[in-house]
């Protein structure tokens, strides 16, 4: 069996290497992916079509916004799947081994909690900065959302999951995660209700005080905010469920 | 709103899942009505889309409204949907089957996963959205995103069952992830060589730049083919399927068995027809001394025989059906690779038929297990007397699986056998007939057990899970279970009677294609 597996791995590796010989030169401006009709169009026209300085953001959240919406749904699905499989609703129905005993010390460690108190606000502000700055630099909803979620995980690490759950209850996690996707898909739905195709942002200029091209730029910020909300809520939810074996009690 | 119907097919289940997240968690009684409502909207949108294709032929829906660039067909800079006769047919199957199974789930989900109802229905709706999105999209990368959604949801829907389901879901996760990464690698290679992601554009670039002999494109072809084969459980890549479908909750099995493998076969055909082109698919050789058509048809023959033989030796009802699915996958893969129009028509027609046959049998088996609590074939002792109506529906499903007229199984098999003879692939014809014979043996043995009751000597079920909470058996079959079963059984006969209309319909999409039968 091991030999067979090794054979399959070697065969796959050989196939991949065989194909590599045929690749265009590394970084060549004439390769189809760099200099093809599609990439040239993006590079030349992003500023006039969307007014977004960062080409990656424009491709991600406008030209291919439908993909990004479903990537956010993937995050949402991961969160729900973990709750559906791991969450212990108190009747032991999943039959997993019992949760770890509450191993938190009586008094939270002063140095750790104070450091976290210092770091967390900065982390959250920086997360919002990363989110809002996606138009100009690397960043955007996914990165900002992860940092926002990490700030709640930090609270849970320092004080125990239950303290963090006071700020972000299970009910709130679900509402926030769904709200994030609703912000994204709702933006698309408004475009649809205004008579254009799904996610065709330019029509939002009728309800936003801007011209159709700037409306695309603004809409990108709206949908990125939706992504960040979902990602932050699901990040924390996954941590809380995994760390406590689905009981949401005690700490790591 | 007619022109917005294609997007509504995918959006309705998505918004349904969000609505459950908002209200269903608190008010559990609302979960099923929301699910049914969302799937009804999705079905209505599918029918509307189907009518558009009927009157205007294939059409494109531009998401985000980005028009194609350049002269003639141009290239796509956004993501677009493309609906033709075949995808409309598969969409209709997805919408109809998911709605029927949702009706069927009313008592089962409450009985089997009482504390996770909202999460179950959210995953259910998102799986449907993923499958419909994969079918309708015209973008090779977008297909991967929706493949992720449908994979993640199906892992969770399986694992939410008993503890044995968790282990089989884990095997599925490993296999499914390998498949998904192969697909992603394949699309990456295509992008490196073509610089586009739209399916039709990839094909146009391959033809225009004469990339047919390029090793990267050939490797991409192999990788994508392996990916869809893993995902559809094509023998010998089938090992994840039987346990995953047998140990999962009743509703999950009834939803996934008809849809997931069939959608993957549709995607294989889409890749062959739209992305690589049939001449490429049937001739690409990767420098080896064989051609693809002959090789894949031979593999399919092996898959059919192996699936049938393994089904013959199973004593557990769902396991037996799972192995029959593996044989049926061989039918469709073989039919698609016969390199003639008759075989391809048979394969597409069989996607529709097999979805409803599997649905009918899985629904019937779900009723048996709900009533008797015994998943073994032996547990069907004397069922003709105990529940004659359910057994009648099961019989229709079984006869269709065997391939007796006027059920639809006969007609699609007719096309497949005809295509096999036309292509001169006699081993494929032989494998099809052998599999029909084995199915006849399997199902007539079941009929015998169910018709002539015997004293049971061995009451210990093979497949019960000692850790699972016991699910009470039902005294009567509720209407929510018998109605979908009956609709699926009638559909089997309807699909058979209207075989001419359906095959003409499929032919309208395939008619313009040129098939390249391998020489010799």
């Amino acid at each position: 069996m091991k030999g067979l597996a090794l054979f399959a791995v070697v065969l796959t590796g050989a196939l991949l290497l065989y194909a590599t010989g045929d690749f265009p030169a590394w970084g060549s401006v004439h390769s189809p992916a760099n200099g093809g009709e599609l990439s040239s169009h993006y590079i030349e026209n992003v500023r006039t079509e969307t007014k977004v300085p960062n080409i990656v953001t424009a491709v991600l959240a406008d030209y291919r916004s439908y993909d990004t919406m479903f990537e956010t749904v993937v995050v949402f699905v991961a969160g729900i799947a973990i709750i559906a499989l791991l969450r212990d609703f108190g009747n032991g129905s999943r039959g997993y081994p019992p949760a770890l005993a509450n191993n938190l010390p009586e008094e939270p460690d002063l140095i750790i909690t104070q450091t976290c108190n210092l770091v967390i606000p900065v982390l959250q502000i920086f997360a919002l900065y990363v989110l809002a700055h996606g138009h100009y630099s690397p960043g955007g909803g996914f990165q900002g959302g992860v940092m926002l979620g990490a700030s709640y995980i930090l609270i849970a690490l320092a004080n125990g999951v239950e303290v963090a759950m006071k700020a972000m209850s299970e009910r709130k996690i679900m509402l926030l995660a769904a709200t994030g996707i609703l912000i994204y898909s709702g933006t698309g739905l408004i475009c649809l209700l205004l008579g254009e195709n799904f996610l065709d942002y330019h029509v939002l200029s009728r309800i936003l005080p801007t011209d159709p091209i700037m409306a695309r730029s603004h809409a990108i910020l709206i949908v990125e905010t939706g992504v960040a909300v979902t990602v932050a809520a699901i990040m924390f939810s996954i941590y809380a469920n995994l760390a406590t074996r689905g009981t949401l009690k005690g700490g790591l | 709103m007619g022109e917005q119907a294609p997007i509504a097919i995918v959006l309705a289940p998505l918004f349904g899942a969000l609505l459950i997240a908002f209200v269903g968690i608190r008010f559990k009684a609302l979960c099923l009505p929301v699910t049914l409502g969302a799937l009804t909207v999705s079905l209505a949108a599918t029918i509307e889309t189907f009518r558009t294709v009927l009157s205007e032929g294939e059409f494109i829906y531009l998401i985000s409204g980005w028009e194609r660039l350049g002269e003639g067909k141009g290239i796509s800079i956004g993501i677009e949907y493309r609906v033709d006769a075949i995808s409309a047919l598969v969409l209709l199957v997805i919408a109809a089957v998911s709605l029927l199974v949702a009706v069927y789930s009313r008592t089962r989900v409450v009985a089997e996963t009482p504390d996770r109802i909202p999460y179950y229905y959210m995953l259910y709706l998102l799986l449907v959205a993923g499958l419909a999105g994969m079918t309708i999209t015209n973008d090779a990368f977008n297909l991967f995103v929706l493949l992720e959604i449908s994979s993640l949801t199906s892992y969770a829907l399986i694992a939410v069952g008993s503890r044995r389901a968790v282990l089989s879901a884990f095997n599925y996760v490993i296999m499914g992830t390998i498949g998904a990464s192969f697909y992603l690698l394949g699309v990456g290679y295509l992008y490196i060589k073509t610089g586009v992601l739209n399916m039709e554009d990839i094909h146009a670039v391959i033809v225009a730049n004469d990339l047919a002999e390029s090793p990267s494109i050939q490797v991409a072809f192999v990788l994508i083919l392996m990916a869809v084969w893993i995902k559809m459980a094509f023998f010998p890549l089938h090992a994840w399927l039987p346990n995953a479908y047998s140990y999962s909750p009743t509703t999950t099995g009834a939803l996934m068995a008809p849809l997931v493998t069939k959608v993957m076969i549709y995607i294989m055909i889409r890749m062959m027809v739209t992305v690589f082109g049939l001449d490429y698919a049937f001739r690409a050789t990767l420098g080896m001394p064989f051609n693809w058509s002959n090789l894949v048809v031979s593999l399919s023959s092996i898959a059919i025989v192996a699936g049938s033989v393994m089904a013959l030796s199973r004593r557990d009802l769902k396991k037996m059906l799972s192995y029959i699915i593996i044989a049926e996958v061989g039918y469709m893969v073989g039919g698609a690779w016969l390199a003639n129009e008759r075989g391809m028509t048979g394969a597409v027609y069989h996607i529709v038929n097999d979805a409803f046959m599997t649905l009918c049998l899985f629904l019937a088996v779900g009723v048996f297990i709900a009533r008797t609590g015994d998943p073994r074939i032996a547990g069907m002792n004397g069922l003709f007397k105990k529940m004659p109506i359910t057994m009648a529906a099961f019989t229709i499903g079984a006869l269709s699986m065997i391939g007796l007229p006027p059920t639809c199984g006969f007609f699609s098999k007719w096309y497949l056998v005809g295509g096999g003879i036309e292509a001169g692939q006699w081993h494929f014809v032989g494998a099809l007939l052998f599999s029909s014979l084995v199915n006849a043996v399997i199902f007539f043995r079941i009929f015998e057990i169910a018709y002539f009751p015997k004293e049971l000597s061995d009451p210990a079920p093979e497949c019960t899970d000692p850790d699972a909470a016991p699910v009470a058996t039902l005294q009567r079959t509720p209407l929510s279970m018998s109605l979908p079963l009956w609709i699926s059984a009638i559909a089997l006969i309807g699909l058979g009677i209207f075989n001419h209309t359906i095959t003409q319909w499929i032919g309208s999409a395939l008619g313009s294609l040129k098939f390249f039968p391998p020489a010799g």
Side-chain angles (χ1 to χ4, degrees), chain A residues 201 203-211 214-216 218-219 222:
Chain A
Y201 303 139
V203 72
L204 292 174
S205 63
R206 284 197 228 153
I207 48 175
L208 295 174
T210 47
D211 59 281
M214 207 54 202
R216 290 191 174 275
H218 289 321
I222 299 174

Side-chain angles (χ1 to χ4, degrees), chain B residues 285 287-291:
Chain B
T285 55
M288 304 280 176
F290 54 77
N291 79 40

